[in-house]
Amino acid sequence: MPLEIACDESGSEGEKLIGGQTDVFAHAGVRLSIEEAEACLVELRRRIRSPAVEYKANHLLRTKHRRVLEWFLGPRGPVHGRARVYLVDKKLLLANELRALVGPEVAPDDEVLAAFNDVLRTRNRRDPAAGSFFAMAGDTGELRAKVAEVREAKVLDPLVPAILRAVEYWSAGGEQVFLVHDEQPSLKGERLARIESSPGLAGLKFVDSRTDPRVQVADFLVGVARRIAEDELNGNGDAVLTELLAPYIDPASLWN
């Protein structure tokens, strides 16, 4: 039997890596049985005591539920040692792509990064965004060719690399992995085929998170992880929560 891992993401905005709603992308995988996940949700409801029909990460992130959040992430919590979170600093990902193309001669400030992001996302070569970026970085045929290659490769969206990393991590012990993932309409065609051909993957099923308690637990974890990481990135970190999150963070994360 393959190892079943429930997954969810938070902060996904496709190829938009700067100027969006979030600064951090997070993807979580949780190794729990359906019964264990159901018990976790029952306990969360007992501790939070909200009348909401569906609980989300925001319930845990409220100040009045701080002790519940610490329990959830802590060594006596339901996911400790049973989960992994892959984090991506979106701006850092974009800056790394820029440096790979143009080297250190172009400073990756926010204006340049925004123009670079725009030119990689547009499919229209006459888009004004393209002119803006090349005016800053140097309008050469070589650079335009490199940008075209990156655009075709569609390397900016961190979702597919995150899922591939989840397969790699959970199959490292030699077990085949079956992923149960929250619905992702953007994953189709070549993107889906790339995931399905991953070594170590026994299968992949997309579900409505409300129908699978394991995915609901992954939703809790990935939501609080993204918020904790984003606060830390923006200089508003909580030392206790950052320390509690640390054991979950995948070392392959693109994270300082």
Side-chain angles (χ1 to χ4, degrees), residues 13-223:
E13 299 181 74
E15 295 180 318
K16 189 172 182 61
L17 298 182
I18 191 170
Q21 298 297 313
T22 58
D23 298 322
V24 174
F25 167 86
H27 185 271
V30 174
R31 181 180 183 175
L32 293 175
S33 68
I34 291 177
E35 293 74 20
E36 289 170 329
E38 287 175 339
C40 172
L41 296 177
V42 168
E43 183 62 18
L44 284 170
R45 283 188 173 275
R46 187 188 72 81
R47 290 173 181 249
I48 293 175
R49 298 185 182 278
S50 168
V53 174
E54 183 181 6
Y55 279 28
K56 303 293 285 185
N58 283 340
H59 286 89
L60 273 178
L61 290 164
R62 293 171 185 169
T63 302
K64 63 181 179 179
H65 297 141
R66 171 61 179 253
R67 292 181 65 182
V68 185
L69 176 55
E70 291 183 5
W71 164 79
F72 179 74
L73 292 175
R76 296 185 179 180
V79 290
H80 195 266
R82 314 282 297 277
R84 212 65 169 175
V85 178
Y86 177 81
L87 296 173
V88 175
D89 175 343
K90 295 182 182 181
K91 187 184 292 187
L92 180 58
L93 172 59
L94 191 59
N96 285 350
E97 289 294 332
L98 178 62
R99 292 189 187 98
L101 283 181
V102 302
E105 58 267 21
V106 177
D109 59 32
D110 284 357
E111 185 179 7
V112 171
L113 288 176
F116 181 51
N117 200 176
D118 287 343
V119 78
L120 290 182
R121 293 174 65 212
T122 183
R123 299 295 178 257
N124 180 3
R125 296 186 178 185
R126 296 183 179 181
D127 191 291
S132 176
F133 170 71
F134 289 116
M136 297 178 191
D139 195 349
T140 66
E142 181 182 3
L143 179 57
R144 285 183 177 270
K146 289 180 178 179
V147 167
E149 287 179 13
V150 174
R151 187 190 290 122
E152 284 298 315
K154 299 178 182 178
V155 298
L156 287 188
D157 187 347
L159 181 57
V160 170
I163 296 175
L164 293 175
R165 173 55 189 166
V167 175
E168 180 184 32
Y169 174 80
W170 291 104
S171 66
E175 294 180 90
Q176 289 285 297
V177 173
F178 187 94
L179 295 186
V180 182
H181 205 295
D182 188 30
E183 293 175 323
Q184 296 293 330
S186 68
L187 292 179
K188 53 190 176 182
E190 292 181 7
R191 288 158 57 82
L192 182 57
R194 183 181 171 197
I195 295 170
E196 292 177 332
S197 65
S198 175
L201 182 67
L204 172 65
K205 178 173 71 173
F206 293 106
V207 301
D208 184 329
S209 63
R210 294 169 295 183
T211 67
D212 193 307
R214 299 168 298 177
V215 178
Q216 290 180 47
V217 174
D219 176 75
F220 270 105
L221 177 60
V222 77

